Amino acid sequence: MPVDPWKNLDRFIDAVSLVTQEKHFKRSLQTLTHSLGYDLYAYINISFKSSFALSNYPKEWQDRYLQKSYQSVDPVIEIARRTMAPYTWSLEDRQFRLKQRRGLAREANEFGICSGTTIAIPAGFGHVSFLTFASKDPSLGSHVRLDHVSAITAATFTHAFVTLRRPRSSASNIVRLAPQEAICLRWAAEGKSMRDAATLLGIKYSSARSYLDNARDKLGAVSLIQAVAIATRLNLI
């Protein structure tokens, strides 16, 4: 009986459990990608304005994808987000033949991104992160057997590394927000009102207001908008 290639995810999880440097993490992710039979990988977090946080896709393709806002028409993003399950795809699939997606499919093919597997996971505050493995072989996806639990775990480890271990500004060591202050401020950054934040957190409106006032004072801001801007710049939310 052939060995399930997704068992290599277990080795990836072991390798990155204690990794602290991005170059070592990328090396492990590259090894996993190749062991699965794919050529490229890409982690994307929609909450970061669709910027590729971690990827070995060609830089020109990454820039073009963002410049042309392909994330708004990419069926891979749409389907993976809707199903929230590992999803295999190919440029030969019917959804890539729609008029508004032909440009995306044509250019992706030029860069050798012809099929793949995309894993979606919740990223907090209503956002979703995606880990994709891609190949120049348009039929590869149909031959890959997915272990959903291992795939989702690998995507979660990648998301955790990017969001929790990324370099932070030294200034963030000076300002320290309490957990509830940071959460309320993050909801404000997402466009939610104080009343919305209170409802989402299950606390009183007065408590949400107090948390935001405290955060504003700690950040030396004169308005909530400025507080959000400062906290974002310092990587506190």
Side-chain angles (χ1 to χ4, degrees):
M1 183 176 181
V3 177
D4 184 345
W6 285 84
K7 289 297 183 182
N8 289 297
L9 284 167
D10 294 334
R11 298 190 184 95
F12 168 74
I13 292 167
D14 292 341
V16 304
S17 292
L18 299 176
V19 163
T20 58
Q21 295 186 41
E22 184 173 303
K23 65 179 181 179
H24 295 150
F25 188 89
K26 285 184 174 180
R27 189 178 304 152
S28 296
L29 193 53
Q30 179 96 6
T31 299
L32 171 63
T33 301
H34 288 162
S35 72
L36 298 176
Y38 290 109
D39 308 301
L40 303 168
Y41 65 81
Y43 164 88
I44 182 173
N45 188 324
I46 299 301
S47 67
F48 296 139
K49 300 185 186 298
S50 300
S51 60
F52 287 90
L54 201 66
S55 176
N56 68 345
Y57 279 18
K59 181 65 166 57
E60 185 181 350
W61 167 246
Q62 294 185 40
D63 293 340
R64 192 176 304 181
Y65 188 94
L66 295 175
Q67 289 168 1
K68 296 191 175 183
S69 298
Y70 277 148
Q71 70 275 9
S72 63
V73 297
D74 192 339
V76 173
I77 296 293
E78 177 188 330
I79 296 173
R81 187 170 197 166
R82 185 175 70 245
T83 61
M84 293 303 293
Y87 165 65
T88 58
W89 51 270
S90 169
L91 293 183
E92 296 179 348
D93 294 342
R94 183 175 59 183
Q95 57 263 29
F96 283 101
R97 299 174 191 166
L98 298 179
K99 184 177 180 180
Q100 67 270 32
R101 294 168 177 166
R102 290 173 189 165
L104 164 64
R106 182 180 62 255
E107 295 192 56
N109 182 68
E110 291 174 4
F111 285 96
I113 304 168
C114 302
S115 70
T117 295
T118 297
I119 308 150
I121 60 167
F125 297 92
H127 297 294
V128 179
S129 288
F130 305 88
L131 178 62
T132 292
F133 299 102
S135 171
K136 58 181 177 293
D137 179 355
S139 64
L140 181 63
S142 62
H143 302 307
V144 174
R145 291 184 299 155
L146 290 175
D147 179 317
H148 285 203
V149 173
S150 295
I152 291 170
T153 302
T156 301
F157 266 71
T158 302
H159 173 71
F161 179 86
V162 172
T163 57
L164 300 180
R165 300 189 183 184
R166 67 189 189 276
R168 292 179 176 266
S169 167
S170 60
S172 64
N173 295 324
I174 301 173
V175 179
R176 297 198 179 275
L177 298 178
Q180 291 287 66
E181 294 168 353
I183 292 173
C184 285
L185 202 57
R186 176 58 186 267
W187 277 125
E190 298 295 335
K192 300 297 184 182
S193 67
M194 288 187 195
R195 199 167 299 281
D196 290 335
T199 300
L200 288 163
L201 294 173
I203 60 178
K204 294 180 180 179
Y205 170 80
S206 58
S207 296
R209 180 173 182 174
S210 177
Y211 288 136
L212 288 170
D213 285 344
N214 290 342
R216 190 185 65 230
D217 290 343
K218 288 180 178 180
L219 292 165
V222 297
S223 68
L224 184 55
I225 292 176
Q226 185 184 20
V228 167
I230 294 172
T232 300
R233 187 173 69 248
L234 295 181
N235 223 355
L236 294 171
I237 59 174

